[in-house]
Amino acid sequence: MEHLILDSNTWLLVLTGAGVSAESGVPTFRGMDGLWENHPIEDVASPQGFVKDPTLVWRFYSQRRAGAAAVHPNPGHDALVAWERHLGDRFLLATQNVDGLHRRAGSQRVVEMHGNLFKTRCSKCKRPPFDDTTVYPNGTVPTCDACGGRLRPHIVWFGEYLDPDDMSRIEDFALRGSTSGGRFVFLAAGTSGVVYPAAGIVDRVREAGGETWLVNLDPAENSTRFEYSVTGKSGEVLPKLAKLA
Ligand code: OAD
């Protein structure tokens, strides 16, 4: 296996997906075959689904909250914490995962592109998202203290836009890294490369002259666009992949 050298010249942008949490026991999206308890995933993870059946949506997210609260970060998460400690501000982690495991492992420079399971916001008023670990009892749809509107999970659903501030943070980091005069590296781990804009980051990094790495259990949709590809479980590969210099 080739080693990823992380030295004082290196800037590293990491993108993670559901595969990184798989060894913690969180099911991947594609692993669920697009279904949850026989409901198409779009019915429980879209604005239309929420309007149609908010009780079902809260049942799904309450179950996911309970599931994520019961698991622990794995050695893949821990490896990324060690890389960040070594690189400091020359490291950024963009994750598509909403389970919060990266922060629980100790990662600090994290952009949660798809939101966070343990945050809630109002679907009606501008009240900022707030921490919420509540597992709501079956049949409950919580309401906003401020306006009485329906509360919803702070998750980017199908058909919704990513937070432009999150995207700017990733783009600014990539720009600083690729114009730093140092070496800019992008590494994607545990992601199927199907969902944009995350799946397109590899192309932009290559255009900017960056080095690209993929760590995935199965070939990803965008595998051939990476320069280096390591097949395996992220919890096994990541702890051995980097040489901190
Ligand atoms: P997917 O479920 O699409 O893909 C997970 C990838 O991880 C697959 O390619 C697996 O081969 C790989 N994998 C599984 N176990 C692994 C392991 N132990 N180590 C390494 N790789 C492993 O998940 P994502 O790519 O994260 O978006 O999905 C992207 C987005 O699709 C999600 O964030 C979600 C969904 O639409 C939103 O909810 C907005």
Side-chain angles (χ1 to χ4, degrees), residues 203-236:
D203 303 310
R204 289 208 258 124
V205 172
R206 289 194 73 158
E207 280 156 26
E211 200 176 297
T212 52
W213 290 70
L214 176 68
V215 174
N216 219 50
L217 188 55
D218 309 295
E221 190 75 18
N222 58 358
S223 289
T224 54
R225 282 136 62 189
F226 287 82
E227 236 174 300
Y228 301 92
S229 191
V230 185
T231 305
K233 293 185 173 179
S234 53
E236 292 168 9

Side-chain angles (χ1 to χ4, degrees), residues 56-71:
L56 181 75
V57 172
W58 268 114
R59 195 154 66 78
F60 172 63
Y61 282 101
S62 290
Q63 196 187 88
R64 291 189 71 201
R65 274 186 182 171
V71 300

Side-chain angles (χ1 to χ4, degrees), residues 5-11 86-87 90 180 182-183 243-245:
I5 310 288
L6 300 180
D7 60 16
S8 57
N9 205 28
T10 309
W11 289 66
H86 184 66
L87 295 171
R90 284 177 287 109
S180 63
R183 167 171 159 260
K243 285 252 181 290
L244 309 188

Side-chain angles (χ1 to χ4, degrees), residues 15-31 74 76-77 95-97 99 101-102 189-192 215-218 232-236 238:
L15 170 73
T16 60
V20 167
S21 292
E23 287 154 89
S24 293
V26 182
T28 62
F29 281 89
R30 308 304 140 193
N74 67 59
H77 296 103
T95 185
Q96 299 168 90
N97 299 343
D99 54 35
L101 286 176
H102 285 301
T191 176
S192 54
V215 174
N216 219 50
L217 188 55
D218 309 295
K233 293 185 173 179
S234 53
E236 292 168 9
L238 294 179

Side-chain angles (χ1 to χ4, degrees), residues 111 113 162-172 197 204:
V111 178
M113 304 169 71
L162 274 60
D163 183 337
D165 290 344
D166 285 347
M167 292 317 289
S168 312
R169 228 180 124 196
I170 298 168
E171 281 162 14
D172 289 352
R204 289 208 258 124

